[in-house]
Amino acid sequence: MARRRRHWIAVLAVVTAATIPGAALAATPGDRAAEPRLVARAVLPADTFAEGPPSGSAIGPGPINGRTPPFPTQPVQGFSALIGSGRPGVYLALADNGFGAKANSADFLLRAYRIRPRWERPGGGPGTVEVLGFVQFRDPDHRVAWPIVNQETDGRLLTGADFDPESIRRAPDGTYWVGDEFGPFLLHFSAGGVLLEAPVPFPVPRRLSAYGGGQDEVRSPDHPAFFGLPDDAARVAAANLPRSRGIEGMALSSDGRILYPSLEGALVADPNQNRRVLYAYDLAKRRFRNWTADYFTDAPANAIGDLTAASHAVLLLIERDNLQGDEAATKRIYELEIDRLRGRAIPKTFLVDLLHIANPHLIGGPSQPGTIGLGDPFAFPFQTIESLLVLNRRTLVVANDNNYPFSSGRRPGEPDDNELIQVRLPRRLPSG
C-alpha cells in the first residue's frame, strides 16, 4: 500500500506541474524511468517534392528561409494528420492547404501522402522517410455547391484555396472523413479521394447560441457564405469564428461509429477564450449527436494540434502555442476522459511534454551548435505539431507540420523538415 501511495503522489506532482504556469515539467533527477522516452525518429527533408504543377507563386518573392518561390512542382509538406494505411509500417500523412492562407494556396493540390519511415532506433537505422505515392482529393461529381479553383476542369482537383484539411480518419467502410478549417466543414471522400457528399457544416451548440452572432452555423471568415462580401474586413466582421480556428483535431471512436471533431479556437464572442468545443458526429445516421463538451486550454492563445482515440472513453490531445525554437513553451500531450460527458468540462491529465523527452541513446545525434532540441533531453520545438497516432498502449507517433518554407524551429534560418518520432510512455494507456 505504501508503494502505491508513493506512486500516486509522484503522478500527482507531475500533473500539478503541468497545469500550473511556470512549473517545471521534468522528472526528478534519477527518476528517468518515469519520463517519456524517445525510441525512434525519421526525417523527410524539407526540400521534398512530388509530381504536379508549379506551386507557391502567391506566397511572396522570397527568399524565405533561403528558399525562393515559386517551386517547380508540389512540396510534400504540411503534415496535419497521420493515420495507418492498412499496410504494416506505412502511414497516410494528410497535407494541409499548402501555404497557410486561402489567398496564397490556389496552386497547391490537396493530397494525403503514403509514407514509410525507416526509423533510427537505439541500435541504429537510417532515420529516413520514403514517399510511396498519394491520394489526390477531387470533386468530379460537383458535390461542392460553390465555385472552386478548378471549377471547369474535368477532374476538379481540390486546392488549398478551396479547403484547408487538417484532420483525417478512415471509417470502417474504407472511406475517409476530413476536418476542414475554412468552413469549417466535414468532408467525406472515397478511398480514392473522390468527394462523396456535400460538405457538412458545424452547428453552433445550443448552449452557446448567445455567442453565435445570430447564426446557426459556425463560420470562419473563409466560409463560402461570405464570398460576396466587399472585402476581408467585412468577412471577418461577419464570422463567429476566427480565421484558422476551424476543425484541427478529430478522433474516431474505437468502434468506428463516432467522429469527435474539435474546434481549434473559441467562438469570437465567447467570454471564455480558453474553451474549445468537442462535437460528436454519428457516421451511420449522418448527423451530429445532441452532445458537445468543452476542452479548456492552458492559455487563450493555445491551439489544439490533434485529437486521437486511445480507448472508447479516453482521447489524447496535442495542445500547443504558436511559438518555435527556443521561444516554444507549450507543446504538450494530454489525456482526456470523455465518457458520460455532455456540456461539461473534459477532465485532462498531463501525459507528455514534447519539449523535454528523455533521449539516453542520443537518437538524432548529440546537441549541435545552431540546432535546437537535439541531444538529451530531446525537444520537438516546432511551431505547429499536428499529428498524433497511438502505435500501441505504450508508444505514440508524433509528427510536425513544417509549414514549408516558413517555419524554422529546429535550425533558425532553415526551413523545417518533416520529422516523425516515436515516444515511449512510462505507463500503459487504457485498453478497450
Side-chain angles (χ1 to χ4, degrees), residues 13 34 75 93 109-110 118 123 201 221 264 267 270 279 282 291 300 360 381 389 401 410:
L109 297 178
L110 301 186
R118 304 291 190 181
E264 186 179 11
L267 295 173
D270 193 334
Y279 292 83
D282 191 311
W291 182 103
L389 182 145
D401 170 357
R410 180 70 79 194

Side-chain angles (χ1 to χ4, degrees), residues 338-361:
I338 63 167
D339 202 20
R340 297 183 300 277
L341 288 179
R342 186 173 72 182
R344 293 170 49 194
I346 304 172
K348 67 181 190 179
T349 302
F350 170 75
L351 194 62
V352 180
D353 177 11
L354 292 170
L355 298 176
H356 192 107
I357 305 171
N359 186 20
H361 298 284

Side-chain angles (χ1 to χ4, degrees), residues 271-344:
N272 191 334
Q273 287 293 297
N274 296 64
R275 188 196 318 268
R276 307 293 182 261
V277 178
L278 186 72
Y279 292 83
Y281 185 79
D282 191 311
L283 290 179
K285 297 181 179 179
R286 294 292 198 272
R287 63 174 177 83
F288 287 97
R289 288 188 169 185
N290 186 24
W291 182 103
T292 57
D294 296 332
Y295 173 84
F296 290 94
T297 55
D298 297 337
N302 285 0
I304 291 176
D306 201 9
L307 193 63
T308 193
S311 71
H312 73 282
V314 173
L315 305 181
L316 302 183
L317 176 146
I318 296 176
E319 181 175 336
R320 62 167 182 83
D321 57 24
N322 202 39
L323 304 174
Q324 63 180 345
D326 284 332
E327 296 182 347
T330 302
K331 315 289 181 183
R332 298 175 182 169
I333 299 176
Y334 283 107
E335 187 176 359
L336 312 183
E337 299 175 22
I338 63 167
D339 202 20
R340 297 183 300 277
L341 288 179
R342 186 173 72 182
R344 293 170 49 194

